Amino acid sequence: MRRYHKQEKIGALKYMLLVVVALFAALDVANAQQVRRETLKYHEGLYLDRYWSDEHAGDLRNSCKCAPAAAAETTTGGRISTNGQRQGVLEAGAHCSAVTEDRRTPAMIFMFGGGFYTGVRDRKEYLPYFHFLASRGIQVFSIDYRLGLAPLVEKMKGAASGKEEAHSAGPVDGVKGGKGRKSGKIAAARQMVGLLRKSIDMAVEDLFRATAFIISNAEKWGIDTSMIMTSGSSAGAISVLEAEYALCNGGEEVEPYNYVPSGFKYAGVVSFAGAIMSVNGKLKWSSRPAPMMLFHGTADSNVPYDKLWTPFGSLYGSKYIADQLTGMTAPHTLFTFENATHTVAVSPMKENLLQIAAFIEESVFDGKKFIANTVVDQPGLPELKRKLKLKDYIKANF
């Protein structure tokens, strides 16, 4: 049986109405229920903030405890169009069983943005998102992680202010002494990619540490460890996507990842302007990832919407990932914002709360298998550059 749900291209006026509805809904929920917060140390020098609502603890998750159907009907998926069409995927369905007695709740781990050199876990723009989820019965954990590019940026700032020699501030030491300008640029690009790779690995390692900490306290906090999701903004989005990619590939590109129990999988991923980095060519998935919801602007110069290629390693953005997942008939939702910049790393946390809630309820909790592509068109915006190069990435981020 083939199931369709048509999603038309959203115009500016229609989208603004959706935004207003989402904002009022978020305010109603936040005002109705008090969200509590506590700060905890999960590793040396690293902390997390836990957000939860006692009154609604477990309500959303336990209203429908999902499990694989014993004799589920199989849908027959075909070609997924890029005009917003949504349909079933070649996958067994799911059904809902009785509410569990212990009323354990789902959890969302969030990672902030900041280019792997700055950022805070409690940025005020993130709070509507945290409160919205917590008020709906999802415990939120906004975590610190090590910022691997911070030393490099400090050197660059020092050189710009004249406190250090200019050559020490570049992505590579001794570029001026290389065999000409071209060889210096190649060496700089190679080391920049290497530093970024190392920074991503550090962030992913800390995500796994935080996940292990949450699992170890799951009984005390009443968390369903089979329903731990991840979410992130910009660098944080890169990190959560990288973690999912590592789990799907046995840690081939991200080491170490063995902080979490053997066989552990995240239940879902919500990414705001994220990407996956590979130094071994195109992305290859050994197993299907968790359901993903990907938000991205087509004119993002900080994180590529499609891909940023270099000979030493490449970043593959939301569109590229979604295209791969479509080819794998792996459930996911892509929100494309036409001609939007890196503002999409934050804006959906206020403007798309209802869509996020629907994704979590349908794709994560209920186990429905959908591929959806929604394009938000905003006529009148100036046409911006879309193809991203390494120099554009460095200029935008540093």
Side-chain angles (χ1 to χ4, degrees), residues 152-186:
L152 167 64
V153 175
E154 287 302 313
K155 281 188 175 182
M156 294 172 69
K157 289 180 179 178
S161 63
K163 293 179 181 180
E164 296 186 32
E165 293 183 9
H167 77 272
S168 67
V172 69
D173 292 331
V175 168
K176 287 188 174 182
K179 297 180 180 179
R181 187 176 179 183
K182 185 175 180 180
S183 62
K185 286 184 176 180
I186 292 173

Side-chain angles (χ1 to χ4, degrees), residues 166-279:
H167 77 272
S168 67
V172 69
D173 292 331
V175 168
K176 287 188 174 182
K179 297 180 180 179
R181 187 176 179 183
K182 185 175 180 180
S183 62
K185 286 184 176 180
I186 292 173
R190 179 185 289 109
Q191 189 164 347
M192 183 66 210
V193 171
L195 289 171
L196 179 59
R197 175 72 265 170
K198 182 178 179 181
S199 299
I200 293 172
D201 291 350
M202 289 168 59
V204 172
E205 183 177 344
D206 291 338
L207 170 58
F208 287 143
R209 281 195 177 108
T211 302
F213 177 79
I214 293 166
I215 292 173
S216 69
N217 287 280
E219 185 173 352
K220 177 174 68 175
W221 293 330
I223 293 173
D224 181 349
T225 57
S226 70
M227 282 291 140
I228 297 177
M229 299 167 280
T230 60
S231 181
S233 168
S234 190
I238 291 174
S239 301
V240 298
L241 289 171
E242 286 276 352
E244 186 64 23
Y245 188 65
L247 289 175
C248 289
N249 291 291
E252 289 181 6
E253 292 204 14
V254 179
E255 291 283 1
Y257 72 104
N258 56 350
Y259 293 97
V260 296
S262 177
F264 173 82
K265 294 288 186 181
Y266 292 111
V269 181
V270 180
S271 165
F272 305 106
I276 298 175
M277 185 179 189
S278 174
V279 295

Side-chain angles (χ1 to χ4, degrees), residues 79-123:
R79 184 177 180 84
I80 309 298
S81 72
T82 57
N83 63 359
Q85 200 162 299
R86 175 182 176 181
Q87 68 181 46
V89 183
L90 285 166
E91 190 80 21
H95 76 285
C96 294
S97 60
V99 175
T100 55
E101 293 182 1
D102 60 2
R103 295 180 62 79
R104 291 180 178 269
T105 68
M108 177 72 82
I109 305 174
F110 180 83
M111 300 184 75
F112 61 82
F116 297 102
Y117 67 88
T118 189
V120 291
R121 67 179 185 274
D122 59 350
R123 180 177 168 180

Side-chain angles (χ1 to χ4, degrees), residues 1 67-76 89-96 366-367 369:
M1 176 179 174
E73 183 178 22
T74 301
T75 63
T76 54
V89 183
L90 285 166
E91 190 80 21
H95 76 285
C96 294
D366 295 349
K369 309 299 180 181

Side-chain angles (χ1 to χ4, degrees), residues 334-356:
L334 172 64
F335 258 78
T336 296
F337 293 81
E338 285 287 351
N339 221 33
T341 62
H342 199 56
T343 56
V344 180
V346 174
S347 60
M349 285 182 253
K350 290 183 178 180
E351 300 170 0
N352 297 94
L353 294 175
L354 292 185
Q355 290 90 344
I356 294 169

